Coordinates of all heavy atoms in Angstrom, one line a residue:
M20 N 107.1 111.5 89.7 CA 106.8 112.9 90.1 C 105.6 113.4 89.3 O 105.6 113.3 88.1 CB 108.0 113.8 90.0 CG 107.8 115.2 90.3 SD 109.4 116.1 90.6 CE 110.3 115.8 89.2
P21 N 104.6 113.9 90.0 CA 103.4 114.4 89.3 C 103.8 115.6 88.4 O 104.6 116.4 88.8 CB 102.5 114.9 90.4 CG 103.2 114.8 91.7 CD 104.4 114.0 91.5
R22 N 103.3 115.6 87.2 CA 103.6 116.7 86.3 C 102.4 117.3 85.7 O 101.4 116.6 85.3 CB 104.5 116.1 85.1 CG 105.9 115.8 85.5 CD 106.7 117.1 85.6 NE 108.0 116.8 85.8 CZ 108.9 117.7 86.1 NH1 108.6 118.9 86.1 NH2 110.2 117.4 86.4
F23 N 102.4 118.6 85.5 CA 101.3 119.3 84.8 C 101.8 119.7 83.4 O 101.0 120.0 82.6 CB 100.9 120.5 85.7 CG 100.4 120.1 87.0 CD1 101.2 120.2 88.1 CD2 99.1 119.6 87.2 CE1 100.7 119.8 89.4 CE2 98.6 119.2 88.4 CZ 99.4 119.3 89.5
E24 N 103.1 119.8 83.3 CA 103.6 120.1 82.0 C 104.7 119.0 81.6 O 105.2 118.4 82.5 CB 104.3 121.4 82.0 CG 103.4 122.6 82.3 CD 102.4 122.9 81.2 OE1 102.7 122.6 80.1 OE2 101.4 123.5 81.5
V25 N 104.9 118.8 80.3 CA 105.9 117.9 79.9 C 107.3 118.4 80.3 O 107.6 119.5 80.0 CB 105.8 117.6 78.3 CG1 106.9 116.7 77.9 CG2 104.4 117.1 78.0
S26 N 108.0 117.5 80.9 CA 109.4 117.9 81.4 C 110.3 118.5 80.3 O 111.0 119.5 80.6 CB 110.0 116.7 82.1 OG 111.3 117.0 82.5
E27 N 110.2 118.0 79.1 CA 111.1 118.4 78.0 C 110.8 119.9 77.6 O 111.6 120.5 77.0 CB 110.9 117.5 76.8 CG 111.4 116.1 77.0 CD 110.3 115.2 77.7 OE1 109.1 115.3 77.4 OE2 110.8 114.4 78.6
N28 N 109.6 120.4 78.0 CA 109.2 121.7 77.6 C 109.7 122.7 78.7 O 109.5 123.9 78.5 CB 107.7 121.9 77.4 CG 107.2 121.1 76.3 OD1 107.9 120.8 75.3 ND2 105.9 120.7 76.3
L29 N 110.2 122.2 79.8 CA 110.6 123.1 80.9 C 112.1 123.4 80.9 O 112.9 122.5 80.5 CB 110.1 122.5 82.2 CG 108.6 122.2 82.3 CD1 108.3 121.4 83.6 CD2 107.8 123.4 82.2
S30 N 112.5 124.5 81.5 CA 113.9 124.8 81.6 C 114.5 123.9 82.6 O 113.9 123.3 83.5 CB 114.0 126.3 82.0 OG 113.5 126.5 83.3
K31 N 115.9 123.9 82.6 CA 116.6 123.1 83.6 C 116.3 123.6 85.0 O 116.2 122.9 85.9 CB 118.1 123.1 83.3 CG 118.5 122.3 82.1 CD 120.0 122.3 81.9 CE 120.3 121.4 80.7 NZ 121.8 121.4 80.4
K32 N 116.2 124.9 85.1 CA 116.0 125.6 86.4 C 114.6 125.1 87.0 O 114.5 124.7 88.1 CB 116.0 127.1 86.3 CG 115.8 127.8 87.6 CD 115.8 129.3 87.5 CE 115.4 130.0 88.8 NZ 116.4 129.9 89.9
I33 N 113.6 125.2 86.1 CA 112.2 124.8 86.6 C 112.2 123.3 86.9 O 111.6 122.9 87.9 CB 111.1 125.2 85.6 CG1 111.0 126.7 85.5 CG2 109.8 124.5 86.0 CD1 110.6 127.4 86.9
N34 N 112.9 122.5 86.1 CA 112.9 121.0 86.4 C 113.6 120.8 87.7 O 113.1 120.0 88.5 CB 113.6 120.3 85.3 CG 112.6 119.8 84.2 OD1 111.6 119.3 84.5 ND2 113.0 120.0 82.9
D35 N 114.7 121.5 88.0 CA 115.4 121.3 89.3 C 114.5 121.8 90.4 O 114.5 121.1 91.5 CB 116.7 122.0 89.3 CG 117.8 121.1 88.5 OD1 117.6 119.9 88.4 OD2 118.8 121.7 88.1
L36 N 113.9 122.9 90.3 CA 113.0 123.4 91.3 C 111.9 122.4 91.6 O 111.5 122.1 92.8 CB 112.4 124.8 91.0 CG 113.3 125.9 91.1 CD1 112.7 127.2 90.5 CD2 113.8 126.2 92.5
S37 N 111.3 121.8 90.5 CA 110.3 120.8 90.7 C 110.8 119.5 91.4 O 110.2 119.0 92.3 CB 109.7 120.4 89.4 OG 109.0 121.4 88.8
R38 N 112.0 119.1 91.1 CA 112.6 118.0 91.8 C 112.8 118.3 93.3 O 112.5 117.4 94.1 CB 114.0 117.7 91.2 CG 113.9 117.1 89.8 CD 115.4 116.8 89.3 NE 115.3 116.3 87.9 CZ 115.6 116.9 86.8 NH1 116.2 118.1 86.9 NH2 115.5 116.4 85.6
A39 N 113.3 119.5 93.6 CA 113.5 119.8 95.0 C 112.1 120.0 95.7 O 112.0 119.5 96.9 CB 114.2 121.2 95.1
R40 N 111.1 120.6 95.1 CA 109.8 120.7 95.7 C 109.1 119.4 96.0 O 108.6 119.2 97.0 CB 108.9 121.6 94.9 CG 109.4 123.1 94.9 CD 108.7 123.9 93.8 NE 109.1 125.3 93.9 CZ 109.2 126.1 92.9 NH1 108.9 125.7 91.7 NH2 109.5 127.4 93.1
Q41 N 109.2 118.5 95.0 CA 108.6 117.2 95.2 C 109.4 116.4 96.3 O 108.7 115.7 97.1 CB 108.7 116.3 93.9 CG 108.0 115.0 94.0 CD 106.5 115.1 94.3 OE1 105.8 115.9 93.8 NE2 106.1 114.2 95.2
S42 N 110.7 116.5 96.3 CA 111.5 115.9 97.4 C 111.1 116.5 98.8 O 111.0 115.7 99.8 CB 112.9 116.1 97.1 OG 113.3 115.4 95.9
L43 N 110.8 117.8 98.8 CA 110.4 118.4 100.1 C 109.1 117.8 100.6 O 109.0 117.5 101.8 CB 110.3 119.9 99.8 CG 110.0 120.8 101.1 CD1 111.4 121.1 101.7 CD2 109.4 122.1 100.6
I44 N 108.2 117.6 99.7 CA 106.9 117.0 100.0 C 107.2 115.6 100.6 O 106.6 115.2 101.6 CB 106.0 116.9 98.8 CG1 105.5 118.3 98.4 CG2 104.8 116.0 99.0 CD1 104.8 118.4 97.0
E45 N 108.0 114.8 99.9 CA 108.3 113.5 100.3 C 109.0 113.4 101.7 O 108.7 112.5 102.5 CB 109.1 112.7 99.3 CG 108.3 112.5 98.0 CD 109.2 112.2 96.8 OE1 110.4 112.1 96.9 OE2 108.6 112.1 95.7
E46 N 109.9 114.4 102.0 CA 110.5 114.4 103.3 C 109.5 114.7 104.4 O 109.5 114.1 105.4 CB 111.6 115.4 103.3 CG 112.8 115.2 102.4 CD 113.5 113.9 102.7 OE1 113.4 113.3 103.7 OE2 114.3 113.5 101.8
M47 N 108.6 115.6 104.1 CA 107.5 115.9 105.1 C 106.6 114.8 105.3 O 106.2 114.5 106.4 CB 106.7 117.2 104.6 CG 105.8 117.7 105.7 SD 106.6 118.1 107.3 CE 107.3 119.7 106.9
E48 N 106.3 114.0 104.2 CA 105.5 112.8 104.4 C 106.2 111.8 105.3 O 105.6 111.2 106.1 CB 105.2 112.2 103.0 CG 104.1 112.8 102.3 CD 103.8 112.1 100.9 OE1 104.7 111.4 100.4 OE2 102.7 112.3 100.4
A49 N 107.5 111.7 105.1 CA 108.3 110.7 105.9 C 108.3 111.1 107.3 O 108.2 110.3 108.2 CB 109.7 110.6 105.3
I50 N 108.4 112.4 107.6 CA 108.3 112.9 109.0 C 107.0 112.5 109.6 O 106.9 112.0 110.7 CB 108.5 114.5 109.0 CG1 109.9 114.8 108.6 CG2 108.1 115.0 110.4 CD1 110.1 116.3 108.3
M51 N 105.9 112.7 108.8 CA 104.6 112.4 109.3 C 104.4 110.9 109.6 O 103.9 110.5 110.6 CB 103.5 112.8 108.3 CG 102.1 112.6 108.7 SD 100.9 113.2 107.4 CE 101.2 112.0 106.1
F52 N 104.9 110.1 108.6 CA 104.8 108.6 108.8 C 105.6 108.1 110.1 O 105.0 107.4 110.9 CB 105.3 107.9 107.6 CG 104.5 108.1 106.3 CD1 105.1 108.1 105.1 CD2 103.2 108.4 106.4 CE1 104.4 108.3 103.9 CE2 102.4 108.6 105.2 CZ 103.1 108.6 104.0
Y53 N 106.8 108.6 110.2 CA 107.6 108.2 111.3 C 107.0 108.7 112.7 O 107.0 108.0 113.7 CB 109.1 108.7 111.2 CG 109.9 107.8 110.3 CD1 110.6 108.4 109.2 CD2 110.1 106.5 110.5 CE1 111.4 107.6 108.4 CE2 110.9 105.7 109.7 CZ 111.6 106.3 108.7 OH 112.4 105.5 107.8
D54 N 106.5 109.9 112.6 CA 105.9 110.5 113.8 C 104.7 109.6 114.3 O 104.5 109.3 115.5 CB 105.5 111.9 113.5 CG 105.5 112.8 114.7 OD1 106.3 112.5 115.7 OD2 104.9 113.8 114.7
E55 N 103.8 109.3 113.3 CA 102.7 108.5 113.6 C 103.0 107.1 114.1 O 102.4 106.6 115.1 CB 101.7 108.4 112.4 CG 101.1 109.7 112.0 CD 100.2 109.6 110.8 OE1 100.1 108.5 110.2 OE2 99.6 110.6 110.4
R56 N 104.1 106.5 113.5 CA 104.5 105.1 113.9 C 105.1 105.2 115.3 O 104.9 104.2 116.1 CB 105.4 104.5 112.8 CG 104.7 104.2 111.6 CD 105.6 104.0 110.4 NE 104.8 103.9 109.2 CZ 105.3 103.9 108.0 NH1 106.6 104.1 107.8 NH2 104.5 103.9 106.9
A57 N 105.9 106.2 115.5 CA 106.5 106.3 116.9 C 105.4 106.5 117.9 O 105.5 105.9 119.0 CB 107.5 107.5 116.9
D58 N 104.4 107.2 117.6 CA 103.3 107.5 118.5 C 102.5 106.2 118.8 O 102.0 105.9 119.9 CB 102.4 108.6 118.0 CG 101.4 109.1 119.0 OD1 101.8 109.4 120.1 OD2 100.2 109.0 118.7
A59 N 102.4 105.4 117.7 CA 101.5 104.2 117.8 C 102.1 103.0 118.4 O 101.4 102.2 119.1 CB 101.0 103.9 116.4
T60 N 103.4 102.8 118.3 CA 104.0 101.6 118.8 C 104.1 101.6 120.3 O 104.2 102.6 120.9 CB 105.4 101.3 118.2 OG1 105.9 100.1 118.6 CG2 106.4 102.4 118.6
E61 N 104.0 100.4 120.9 CA 104.2 100.2 122.3 C 105.6 99.7 122.6 O 105.9 99.5 123.8 CB 103.1 99.3 122.9 CG 101.7 99.9 122.7 CD 100.6 99.0 123.3 OE1 100.9 97.9 123.8 OE2 99.4 99.4 123.1
N62 N 106.4 99.5 121.6 CA 107.7 99.0 121.7 C 108.7 100.2 121.8 O 108.9 100.9 120.9 CB 108.0 98.1 120.5 CG 109.4 97.5 120.6 OD1 110.4 98.1 120.9 ND2 109.5 96.2 120.3
E63 N 109.3 100.4 123.0 CA 110.2 101.5 123.2 C 111.4 101.5 122.3 O 111.8 102.6 121.9 CB 110.6 101.6 124.7 CG 109.5 102.0 125.6 CD 109.0 103.4 125.3 OE1 109.8 104.3 124.9 OE2 107.7 103.6 125.4
E64 N 111.9 100.3 122.1 CA 113.1 100.3 121.2 C 112.8 100.7 119.8 O 113.5 101.5 119.1 CB 113.7 98.8 121.2 CG 115.0 98.7 120.6 CD 115.6 97.3 120.8 OE1 114.8 96.3 120.7 OE2 116.8 97.2 121.0
L65 N 111.6 100.2 119.3 CA 111.2 100.6 117.9 C 110.9 102.1 117.9 O 111.2 102.8 117.0 CB 110.0 99.8 117.5 CG 109.4 100.1 116.1 CD1 110.5 99.9 115.0 CD2 108.2 99.2 115.8
R66 N 110.2 102.6 119.0 CA 109.9 104.0 119.0 C 111.2 104.9 118.9 O 111.2 105.9 118.2 CB 109.2 104.4 120.3 CG 108.9 105.9 120.4 CD 108.1 106.3 121.7 NE 106.8 105.8 121.6 CZ 106.2 104.9 122.4 NH1 106.8 104.5 123.5 NH2 105.0 104.5 122.2
S67 N 112.3 104.5 119.6 CA 113.5 105.2 119.5 C 114.1 105.3 118.1 O 114.6 106.3 117.7 CB 114.5 104.7 120.5 OG 115.1 103.5 120.1
V68 N 113.9 104.2 117.4 CA 114.4 104.1 116.0 C 113.5 105.1 115.1 O 114.0 105.8 114.3 CB 114.4 102.7 115.4 CG1 114.6 102.7 113.9 CG2 115.3 101.8 116.2
M69 N 112.2 105.0 115.3 CA 111.3 105.8 114.6 C 111.6 107.3 114.8 O 111.6 108.1 113.9 CB 109.9 105.5 114.9 CG 109.4 104.1 114.5 SD 109.4 103.9 112.7 CE 109.1 102.2 112.6
V70 N 111.8 107.7 116.1 CA 112.1 109.1 116.4 C 113.4 109.5 115.8 O 113.5 110.6 115.3 CB 112.1 109.2 118.0 CG1 112.7 110.6 118.4 CG2 110.6 109.1 118.5
H71 N 114.4 108.7 115.9 CA 115.7 109.0 115.3 C 115.5 109.2 113.7 O 116.0 110.2 113.2 CB 116.7 107.9 115.5 CG 118.0 108.0 114.7 ND1 119.0 108.8 115.2 CD2 118.3 107.6 113.5 CE1 120.0 108.8 114.3 NE2 119.6 108.1 113.3
N72 N 114.8 108.3 113.1 CA 114.6 108.4 111.6 C 113.8 109.7 111.3 O 114.1 110.4 110.4 CB 113.9 107.2 111.1 CG 114.9 106.0 111.1 OD1 116.0 106.1 111.5 ND2 114.3 104.8 110.7
R73 N 112.7 109.9 112.1 CA 111.9 111.1 111.9 C 112.8 112.4 111.9 O 112.6 113.3 111.1 CB 110.8 111.2 112.9 CG 109.9 112.4 112.9 CD 109.2 112.7 114.2 NE 110.2 113.0 115.2 CZ 110.0 112.9 116.5 NH1 108.8 112.5 116.9 NH2 110.9 113.2 117.4
D74 N 113.6 112.5 112.9 CA 114.4 113.7 113.0 C 115.5 113.8 111.9 O 115.8 114.9 111.5 CB 115.1 113.7 114.4 CG 114.0 113.9 115.5 OD1 112.8 114.3 115.1 OD2 114.3 113.7 116.7
D75 N 116.0 112.7 111.4 CA 116.9 112.7 110.2 C 116.1 113.3 109.0 O 116.7 114.1 108.3 CB 117.3 111.3 109.9 CG 118.6 110.9 110.7 OD1 119.1 111.7 111.4 OD2 119.0 109.8 110.5
E76 N 114.8 112.9 108.9 CA 114.0 113.5 107.8 C 113.8 115.0 107.9 O 113.7 115.7 106.9 CB 112.7 112.8 107.7 CG 112.7 111.3 107.6 CD 113.4 110.8 106.4 OE1 113.8 111.6 105.5 OE2 113.6 109.5 106.3
K77 N 113.8 115.5 109.2 CA 113.7 116.9 109.3 C 115.0 117.7 108.8 O 114.9 118.8 108.3 CB 113.5 117.3 110.8 CG 112.1 116.8 111.3 CD 111.9 117.1 112.8 CE 110.5 116.6 113.2 NZ 110.3 116.7 114.6
E78 N 116.1 117.0 109.0 CA 117.3 117.6 108.4 C 117.2 117.6 106.9 O 117.6 118.6 106.2 CB 118.6 116.8 108.9 CG 119.9 117.4 108.3 CD 121.1 116.5 108.7 OE1 121.0 115.3 108.6 OE2 122.1 117.2 109.1
H79 N 116.8 116.5 106.3 CA 116.6 116.4 104.9 C 115.7 117.5 104.3 O 115.9 118.2 103.3 CB 116.1 115.0 104.4 CG 117.0 113.9 104.9 ND1 116.6 112.6 104.9 CD2 118.3 113.9 105.4 CE1 117.6 111.8 105.3 NE2 118.6 112.6 105.7
F80 N 114.6 117.6 105.1 CA 113.6 118.7 104.7 C 114.2 120.0 104.7 O 114.1 120.9 103.8 CB 112.4 118.6 105.7 CG 111.3 119.7 105.5 CD1 110.3 119.4 104.6 CD2 111.4 120.9 106.1 CE1 109.3 120.4 104.4 CE2 110.5 121.9 105.9 CZ 109.4 121.6 105.0
S81 N 115.0 120.3 105.8 CA 115.6 121.6 105.9 C 116.6 121.9 104.8 O 116.7 123.0 104.4 CB 116.3 121.7 107.3 OG 115.3 121.6 108.3
L82 N 117.4 120.9 104.4 CA 118.3 121.1 103.4 C 117.6 121.4 102.0 O 118.1 122.3 101.3 CB 119.2 119.8 103.2 CG 120.2 119.6 104.3 CD1 120.8 118.2 104.2 CD2 121.4 120.6 104.2
L83 N 116.5 120.8 101.8 CA 115.8 121.1 100.6 C 115.2 122.5 100.6 O 115.2 123.2 99.6 CB 114.7 120.0 100.3 CG 115.3 118.7 99.9 CD1 114.2 117.6 100.1 CD2 115.6 118.7 98.4
L84 N 114.6 122.8 101.8 CA 114.1 124.2 101.9 C 115.1 125.2 101.7 O 114.9 126.2 101.0 CB 113.4 124.3 103.3 CG 112.7 125.6 103.6 CD1 111.6 125.9 102.6 CD2 112.2 125.7 105.0
E85 N 116.3 125.0 102.2 CA 117.4 126.0 102.0 C 117.8 126.0 100.5 O 118.0 127.1 100.0 CB 118.6 125.6 102.9 CG 119.8 126.5 102.7 CD 119.6 127.9 103.0 OE1 118.5 128.3 103.5 OE2 120.5 128.8 102.8
F86 N 117.8 124.9 99.8 CA 118.1 124.9 98.4 C 117.0 125.8 97.7 O 117.4 126.6 96.8 CB 118.1 123.5 97.8 CG 118.2 123.5 96.3 CD1 119.4 123.5 95.7 CD2 117.1 123.5 95.5 CE1 119.5 123.6 94.3 CE2 117.1 123.5 94.1 CZ 118.4 123.5 93.5
L87 N 115.8 125.5 98.0 CA 114.7 126.3 97.4 C 114.8 127.8 97.7 O 114.6 128.6 96.8 CB 113.3 125.7 97.8 CG 113.0 124.4 97.2 CD1 111.9 123.7 97.9 CD2 112.8 124.5 95.7
R88 N 115.1 128.1 98.9 CA 115.3 129.5 99.3 C 116.3 130.2 98.5 O 116.2 131.3 98.0 CB 115.6 129.6 100.8 CG 115.6 131.1 101.3 CD 116.2 131.2 102.7 NE 117.6 130.9 102.7 CZ 118.6 131.7 102.2 NH1 118.3 132.9 101.7 NH2 119.8 131.3 102.3
R89 N 117.4 129.5 98.3 CA 118.6 130.1 97.5 C 118.3 130.2 96.1 O 118.9 130.9 95.4 CB 119.8 129.2 97.7 CG 120.4 129.2 99.1 CD 121.6 128.4 99.2 NE 122.1 128.4 100.6 CZ 123.3 127.9 101.0 NH1 124.1 127.5 100.1 NH2 123.6 128.0 102.2
N90 N 117.3 129.4 95.6 CA 117.0 129.4 94.1 C 115.7 130.0 93.7 O 115.3 129.9 92.6 CB 117.2 128.0 93.6 CG 118.6 127.5 93.6 OD1 119.4 127.9 92.7 ND2 119.0 126.8 94.6
D91 N 114.9 130.5 94.7 CA 113.6 131.1 94.4 C 113.5 132.4 95.2 O 113.2 132.4 96.4 CB 112.5 130.1 94.9 CG 111.1 130.6 94.7 OD1 110.9 131.8 94.5 OD2 110.2 129.7 94.7
P92 N 113.8 133.5 94.5 CA 113.9 134.8 95.2 C 112.6 135.2 96.0 O 112.6 135.8 97.1 CB 114.2 135.8 94.1 CG 114.8 135.0 93.0 CD 114.2 133.6 93.1
E93 N 111.4 134.8 95.4 CA 110.2 135.2 96.1 C 110.0 134.3 97.4 O 109.5 134.8 98.4 CB 109.0 135.0 95.1 CG 107.7 135.4 95.7 CD 107.6 137.0 96.0 OE1 108.4 137.7 95.3 OE2 106.8 137.3 96.9
L94 N 110.4 133.1 97.3 CA 110.3 132.2 98.5 C 111.3 132.8 99.6 O 111.0 132.8 100.8 CB 110.6 130.8 98.2 CG 110.6 129.8 99.4 CD1 109.2 129.7 100.0 CD2 111.1 128.4 98.9
D95 N 112.5 133.2 99.1 CA 113.4 133.8 100.0 C 112.8 135.0 100.7 O 113.0 135.1 102.0 CB 114.7 134.2 99.3 CG 115.7 134.9 100.1 OD1 116.2 134.2 101.1 OD2 116.0 136.1 99.9
K96 N 112.2 135.8 100.0 CA 111.5 137.0 100.6 C 110.5 136.6 101.6 O 110.4 137.2 102.7 CB 110.9 137.8 99.5 CG 110.1 139.1 99.9 CD 109.5 139.8 98.7 CE 108.4 140.7 99.0 NZ 107.2 140.0 99.5
E97 N 109.6 135.7 101.3 CA 108.6 135.3 102.2 C 109.1 134.6 103.5 O 108.7 134.9 104.6 CB 107.6 134.3 101.5 CG 106.8 134.9 100.4 CD 105.8 135.9 100.8 OE1 105.5 136.0 102.0 OE2 105.4 136.7 100.0
L98 N 110.2 133.8 103.3 CA 110.7 133.1 104.5 C 111.4 134.1 105.4 O 111.3 134.0 106.6 CB 111.7 132.0 104.0 CG 111.1 130.8 103.3 CD1 112.2 129.9 102.8 CD2 110.2 130.1 104.2
R99 N 112.1 135.1 104.8 CA 112.7 136.1 105.6 C 111.7 136.9 106.4 O 112.0 137.4 107.5 CB 113.6 137.1 104.7 CG 114.8 136.4 104.2 CD 115.6 137.4 103.3 NE 116.7 136.7 102.7 CZ 117.9 136.5 103.3 NH1 118.1 137.0 104.5 NH2 118.9 135.9 102.7
E100 N 110.5 137.1 105.8 CA 109.5 137.9 106.5 C 108.8 137.1 107.6 O 108.4 137.6 108.6 CB 108.5 138.3 105.4 CG 107.5 139.3 105.9 CD 106.5 139.8 104.8 OE1 107.1 140.2 103.7 OE2 105.3 139.7 104.9
I101 N 108.7 135.8 107.4 CA 107.8 135.0 108.3 C 108.6 134.1 109.3 O 108.3 134.1 110.5 CB 106.9 134.1 107.5 CG1 105.9 134.9 106.7 CG2 106.2 133.0 108.3 CD1 105.0 134.2 105.7
L102 N 109.7 133.5 108.9 CA 110.4 132.6 109.8 C 111.1 133.3 110.9 O 111.6 134.4 110.7 CB 111.4 131.8 109.0 CG 110.9 130.7 108.0 CD1 112.1 130.0 107.4 CD2 109.9 129.8 108.6
F103 N 111.0 132.8 112.1 CA 111.6 133.3 113.3 C 111.1 134.7 113.7 O 111.7 135.4 114.5 CB 113.2 133.4 113.1 CG 113.8 132.1 112.6 CD1 114.2 132.0 111.3 CD2 113.8 131.0 113.5 CE1 114.8 130.8 110.9 CE2 114.3 129.8 113.0 CZ 114.8 129.7 111.7
S104 N 109.9 135.0 113.2 CA 109.3 136.3 113.5 C 108.8 136.2 115.0 O 108.4 135.1 115.4 CB 108.1 136.6 112.6 OG 107.4 137.7 113.1
K105 N 108.8 137.3 115.7 CA 108.2 137.4 117.0 C 106.7 137.7 117.0 O 106.1 137.8 118.0 CB 109.0 138.4 117.9 CG 110.5 138.1 118.0 CD 110.7 136.9 118.9 CE 112.2 136.8 119.1 NZ 112.7 135.4 119.3
K106 N 106.2 138.1 115.8 CA 104.8 138.4 115.6 C 103.9 137.3 115.9 O 104.3 136.1 115.8 CB 104.5 138.9 114.2 CG 105.2 140.2 113.9 CD 104.8 140.6 112.4 CE 105.5 141.9 112.0 NZ 105.2 142.2 110.6
K107 N 102.7 137.5 116.3 CA 101.7 136.5 116.5 C 101.4 135.9 115.1 O 101.4 136.6 114.1 CB 100.4 137.1 117.1 CG 100.6 137.5 118.5 CD 99.3 138.1 119.1 CE 99.4 138.6 120.5 NZ 98.3 139.3 121.0
M108 N 100.9 134.7 115.1 CA 100.6 134.0 113.8 C 99.5 134.8 113.1 O 99.6 135.0 111.8 CB 100.1 132.6 114.0 CG 101.2 131.6 114.4 SD 102.5 131.4 113.2 CE 101.7 130.7 111.8
Q109 N 98.6 135.4 113.8 CA 97.5 136.1 113.1 C 98.0 137.4 112.5 O 97.3 137.9 111.6 CB 96.4 136.6 114.2 CG 95.8 135.4 114.9 CD 96.5 135.1 116.3 OE1 97.8 135.0 116.3 NE2 95.8 135.0 117.3
E110 N 99.2 137.9 112.8 CA 99.7 139.1 112.2 C 100.6 138.8 111.0 O 101.1 139.7 110.4 CB 100.5 139.8 113.3 CG 99.7 140.3 114.5 CD 100.5 140.8 115.6 OE1 101.8 140.7 115.6 OE2 99.9 141.2 116.6
L111 N 100.9 137.5 110.8 CA 101.8 137.2 109.7 C 101.0 137.0 108.4 O 99.8 136.6 108.4 CB 102.6 135.9 110.0 CG 103.5 136.0 111.1 CD1 104.1 134.6 111.5 CD2 104.6 137.0 110.8
G112 N 101.6 137.2 107.2 CA 100.9 137.0 106.0 C 100.3 138.3 105.6 O 100.3 139.3 106.3
D113 N 99.7 138.2 104.4 CA 99.0 139.5 103.8 C 97.7 139.8 104.5 O 97.0 139.0 105.0 CB 98.7 139.3 102.4 CG 100.0 139.2 101.6 OD1 101.0 139.9 102.0 OD2 100.1 138.6 100.5
Ligands
FE2_25 FE1 114.9 111.8 103.8

């Protein structure tokens, strides 16, 4: 896991948040890889496996996001303001 600070100097809370954030990145990468491979293959059977695996990664991503939301109050605030909003994208954010 990439580090900007020595892990021993960080609190248990920040170390756990870093673990979850890095895992979130890895789950999103896995979604991207499976999506590209599903799109590229001409083998329908392999495509169905790739699509299934890609969608499993979306569940993993969502679980990590929920962990982060529960443990990062500012992220919780932002997600409540933005996710599932009926506003146009241009109207969201600062
Ligand atoms: Fe995963």
Side-chain angles (χ1 to χ4, degrees):
M20 178 161 53
R22 285 285 184 187
F23 300 100
E24 298 291 337
V25 178
S26 178
E27 295 80 41
N28 294 339
L29 302 173
S30 67
K31 287 183 178 180
K32 179 180 175 71
I33 293 299
N34 270 316
D35 279 341
L36 286 170
S37 293
R38 290 180 180 110
R40 289 170 177 147
Q41 184 60 41
S42 296
L43 189 82
I44 291 167
E45 292 163 3
E46 297 297 348
M47 189 56 80
E48 282 182 337
I50 292 166
M51 183 179 69
F52 295 151
Y53 280 124
D54 211 23
E55 290 178 1
R56 291 167 188 163
D58 191 55
T60 186
E61 294 179 6
N62 182 313
E63 286 300 320
E64 192 174 38
L65 180 58
R66 178 177 290 121
S67 74
V68 172
M69 295 293 172
V70 166
H71 171 85
N72 291 359
R73 177 201 62 200
D74 294 344
D75 276 357
E76 303 300 353
K77 291 177 182 178
E78 181 183 46
H79 303 166
F80 177 89
S81 298
L82 288 167
L83 287 160
L84 183 60
E85 178 61 5
F86 173 86
L87 288 166
R88 187 193 65 77
R89 291 181 183 194
N90 289 279
D91 180 341
E93 186 62 27
L94 180 62
D95 177 64
K96 178 181 159 289
E97 294 294 339
L98 291 174
R99 288 178 187 277
E100 190 176 308
I101 292 173
L102 293 183
F103 309 108
S104 172
K105 301 288 187 211
K106 292 179 182 176
K107 293 178 181 176
M108 288 300 294
Q109 303 92 313
E110 298 169 356
L111 295 172
D113 293 329

